[in-house]
Amino acid sequence: MLEVRTLGLEGVLEIVPKRHGDARGFFCETWNAERFAQAGIGLTFVQDNHSYSAAAGVLRGLHYQLPPRAQDKLLRVVRGSVFDVVVDIRRSSPTFGQWSALEISAEKGNQILVPKGYAHGFVTLVPDTEILYKVTDTYSPEHDRSIRFDDPAIGIGWPSLAGDFQLSDKDRNAPLLGLAEVFA
């Protein structure tokens, strides 16, 4: 059983698997191909990724891969919480450059489905946050791209956290959306 909610951009979904709990804890299916297909999500995942961030305020993104190595992503937090952002980077889309955000946490047990054609990023809201995500294509350095997280043309409302965001050099030096190589 899945609860599926649209997030305002085509194909971007919040997915909340049903948890079965008792005094010992809980059990849930985070991925079940048959149940996801029944909900209209027919994807074949080929790689699982695990991301750990030691501090609150670690910002990763906005990342994506270009065709033919574009990736759909199914992301969940297994410890901590993140403010997760998706940006439409399909130039032909009526929502090009628009973004949607969702808080994802281990406590809520929710997930986000990020389709091909979207840049993705997140900032950790608490220390010791761990994220697991599935992708529909393997990592390809030749197709890997990023967009600057604070591009004023996008105007993402990142949460205010004490101190500056912690960024990689790649993310700090990413191009603005108007200069980035994106989807047609």
Side-chain angles (χ1 to χ4, degrees):
M1 177 102 154
L2 298 171
E3 180 183 332
V4 179
R5 183 173 70 93
T6 62
L7 294 176
L9 295 174
E10 181 187 1
V12 180
L13 304 172
E14 178 182 23
I15 299 167
V16 184
K18 181 167 177 53
R19 286 185 174 180
H20 306 277
D22 59 26
R24 301 168 298 162
F26 71 85
F27 170 84
C28 72
E29 290 180 347
T30 59
W31 168 252
N32 178 309
E34 184 177 319
R35 289 187 197 205
F36 272 63
Q38 290 169 354
I41 305 165
L43 299 172
T44 302
F45 292 108
V46 299
Q47 180 176 308
D48 282 355
N49 299 324
H50 188 154
S51 170
Y52 169 75
S53 298
V58 172
L59 196 149
R60 300 179 190 267
L62 302 162
H63 302 152
Y64 57 99
Q65 285 189 179
L66 291 171
R69 302 298 301 275
Q71 299 173 319
D72 301 285
K73 298 176 183 178
L74 179 64
L75 180 136
R76 65 189 173 101
V77 174
V78 293
R79 181 166 57 159
S81 64
V82 300
F83 180 79
D84 197 270
V85 175
V86 178
V87 178
D88 187 346
I89 58 168
R90 301 168 299 158
R91 285 205 194 277
S92 61
S93 169
T95 57
F96 176 73
Q98 293 181 24
W99 61 279
S100 184
L102 175 68
E103 183 178 332
I104 304 172
S105 70
E107 182 179 332
K108 291 179 184 177
N110 58 340
Q111 302 178 77
I112 189 167
L113 179 67
V114 181
K116 295 172 181 137
Y118 291 86
H120 173 257
F122 61 85
V123 63
T124 57
L125 299 174
V126 297
D128 296 320
T129 294
E130 291 189 65
I131 297 166
L132 299 177
Y133 59 103
K134 299 180 162 312
V135 293
T136 56
D137 202 345
T138 57
Y139 175 68
S140 172
E142 307 84 51
H143 299 88
D144 184 42
R145 299 291 187 276
S146 59
I147 295 169
R148 195 155 160 89
F149 76 98
D150 60 353
D151 185 334
I154 300 171
I156 297 169
W158 294 101
S160 297
L161 301 170
D164 292 329
F165 292 130
Q166 294 181 36
L167 298 159
S168 68
D169 287 340
K170 170 188 170 182
D171 293 342
R172 185 176 290 105
N173 298 314
L176 299 174
L177 177 60
L179 301 173
E181 186 179 1
V182 295
F183 287 65

